[in-house]
């Protein structure tokens, strides 16, 4: 039975990945290593918590002793690193934890994995490392790295640390770069769950700038199948882009959400733009399709409707994750208190 260490497994994508992998592979064992920051929630894994193929270990990826201890305790074959500070707006307010977790933490994991002789290391990265596109074109794996936010810069640094370890030490590292994910269990600071939650509460939806920025949306289950394909068949040292081929402007998406939720467009509030806001992302995922036989399978229409339904059915989850600490962040970011629109 192979044993995979998943870092950041209590977050949005990590928790979806753990559930996906345990279901897909009856032979796999998963150790989830997570610091439980504001974005980490053990409740996301309640459905697998009792499985004898699942283990939770609290810890920080930048704590070498703790990482060494977990690698020693379990017979880990591969590491998938999802652990990160993941929100662009937070990185603009304070980049400190981004440097510590995304950069220092990734290097600590690489060093510990090398010392333990781990067979495979998948670094889960983002299309934001490529910067911003104009009206046409799409990012390929050859697009020059040109990150624009502190978050994107910290993820780029991590990608380059993996690249350097591969080059210098023959480290078995692989990098994946994915576009914007959506789906169940996403923390309601990101666009789609924030707007669903606010609309359900009859609160304004804060659209940055003119709302014409474009993102390429992928359902989280398609990202999970891509990461799993890389874990099983990816070539060491390679980079794989993943995207949903579902480009949408923020304002178009906002209108679609309001329609699905049967809420009026008067809830839309244009607010000052995000500093350095990337205009457009689009991913060319031909490499993953050709080399891994991977394809996105969830259409945006179907995935968005399912996601809205999930948030309708899980209002209590949203209520619980919108803790005191999150309320403070919301006030700092949007200049108003949550729930007092
Ligand atoms: P998230 O913010 O929902 O979850 C991050 C998880 O990492 C949390 O459980 C948190 O507790 C944990 N964590 C944070 N710092 C840690 C540390 N020092 N040690 C151990 N655990 C720590 O993030 P997400 O949206 O699930 O993203 C997961 C990964 O995928 C990130 O690396 C992100 O850069 C990447 N990614 C995200 C998207 C997206 O659209 N959300 C797109 C492409 C790539
Ligand atoms: P986000 O979910 O933060 O993802 P990312 O910045 O990684 O793409 O934002 C998606 C898009 O939505 C991005 O163009 C910024 C925009 N946005 C808003 O207009 N208002 C908001 O309140 C948020 C959080 C995002």
């Amino acid at each position: 039975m192979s044993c995979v260490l998943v870092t950041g497994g209590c977050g949005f994508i990590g928790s979806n990945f753990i559930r996906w992998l345990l279901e897909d592979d009856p032979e796999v064992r998963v150790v989830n290593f997570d610091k439980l920051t504001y974005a980490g929630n053990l409740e996301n894994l309640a459905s697998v918590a009792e499985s004898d193929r699942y283990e939770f270990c609290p810890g920080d990826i930048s704590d070498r002793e703790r990482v060494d201890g977990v690698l020693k305790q379990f017979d880990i074959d591969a590491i998938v690193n999802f652990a990160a500070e993941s929100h662009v707006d937070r990185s603009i307010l304070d980049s400190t934890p981004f440097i510590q977790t995304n950069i220092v933490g990734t290097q600590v994991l690489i060093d510990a994995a090398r010392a333990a002789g781990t067979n495979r290391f998948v670094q889960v990265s983002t299309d934001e490392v490529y910067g911003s596109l104009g009206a046409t074109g799409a990012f390929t794996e050859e697009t020059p790295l040109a990150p624009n936010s502190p978050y994107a810069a910290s993820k780029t640094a991590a990608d380059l640390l993996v690249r350097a370890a591969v080059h210098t030490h023959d480290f078995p590292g692989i990098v994946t770069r994915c576009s914007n994910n959506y789906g169940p269990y996403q923390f309601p600071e990101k666009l789609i769950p924030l707007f669903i939650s606010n609309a359900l509460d009859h609160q304004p939806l804060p659209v940055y700038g003119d709302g014409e920025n474009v993102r390429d949306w992928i359902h989280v289950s398609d990202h999970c199948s891509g990461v799993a394909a890389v874990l099983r068949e990816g070539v060491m040292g390679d980079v794989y882009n993943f995207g949903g081929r579902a480009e949408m402007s923020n304002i178009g998406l906002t209108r679609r959400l309001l329609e699905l939720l049967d809420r009026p467009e008067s809830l839309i509030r244009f607010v000052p733009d995000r500093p350095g806001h990337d205009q457009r992302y689009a991913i060319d995922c031909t490499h993953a399709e050709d080399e891994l036989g991977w394809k996105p399978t969830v259409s945006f229409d179907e995935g968005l409707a399912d996601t809205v339904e999930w948030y309708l059915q899980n209002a209590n989850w949203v209520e619980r994750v919108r803790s005191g600490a999150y309320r403070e962040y919301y006030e700092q970011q949007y200049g108003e208190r949550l729930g007092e629109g």
Side-chain angles (χ1 to χ4, degrees), residues 254-330:
T254 305
R255 293 207 168 99
R256 206 134 145 192
L257 285 171
L258 287 171
E259 208 180 302
L260 282 167
L261 291 159
D262 199 20
R263 291 288 190 270
E265 293 205 356
S266 56
L267 283 180
I268 296 173
R269 177 175 299 173
F270 289 98
V271 300
D273 209 352
R274 169 188 283 173
H277 196 172
D278 284 337
Q279 187 57 39
R280 177 172 162 264
Y281 300 147
I283 275 274
D284 179 341
C285 47
T286 314
H287 182 54
E289 289 179 339
D290 290 352
E291 300 303 317
L292 304 170
W294 171 90
K295 256 191 191 335
T297 58
V298 182
S299 76
F300 194 47
D301 279 347
E302 178 198 345
L304 200 62
D306 285 356
T307 302
V308 165
E309 187 55 32
W310 189 88
Y311 280 91
L312 284 168
Q313 299 299 327
N314 290 275
N316 292 342
W317 180 89
V318 174
E319 203 45 53
R320 282 193 292 276
V321 299
R322 286 185 145 180
S323 64
Y326 176 63
R327 299 182 87 83
E328 269 168 41
Y329 160 76
Y330 195 92

Side-chain angles (χ1 to χ4, degrees), residues 17 44 56 68 81 126 156 162 173 182 190 204 209 232 259 322:
F17 180 74
N44 298 356
F56 173 65
D68 281 344
N81 182 26
T126 161
T156 309
V162 174
Y182 69 98
K190 304 277 168 50
R232 291 165 184 161
E259 208 180 302
R322 286 185 145 180

Side-chain angles (χ1 to χ4, degrees), residues 7-15 33-41 59-62 81-87 97 100-102 105 123-128 151 155 176-182 185-187 189-190 217 223:
T7 69
C10 294
F12 163 47
I13 307 173
S15 63
F33 186 77
D34 196 295
K35 187 183 173 183
L36 294 177
T37 68
Y38 78 94
N41 187 351
D60 184 332
I61 59 165
S62 65
N81 182 26
F82 288 98
E85 288 292 333
S86 68
H87 192 41
Q100 183 63 22
T101 287
N102 301 2
Q123 172 66 11
V124 179
S125 187
T126 161
D127 59 354
E128 303 194 25
Y151 162 69
K155 293 297 291 186
T176 64
R177 296 187 181 134
C178 190
S179 63
N180 287 65
N181 285 222
Y182 69 98
Y185 298 99
Q186 186 167 29
F187 193 87
E189 65 184 353
K190 304 277 168 50
W217 294 95
H223 187 191

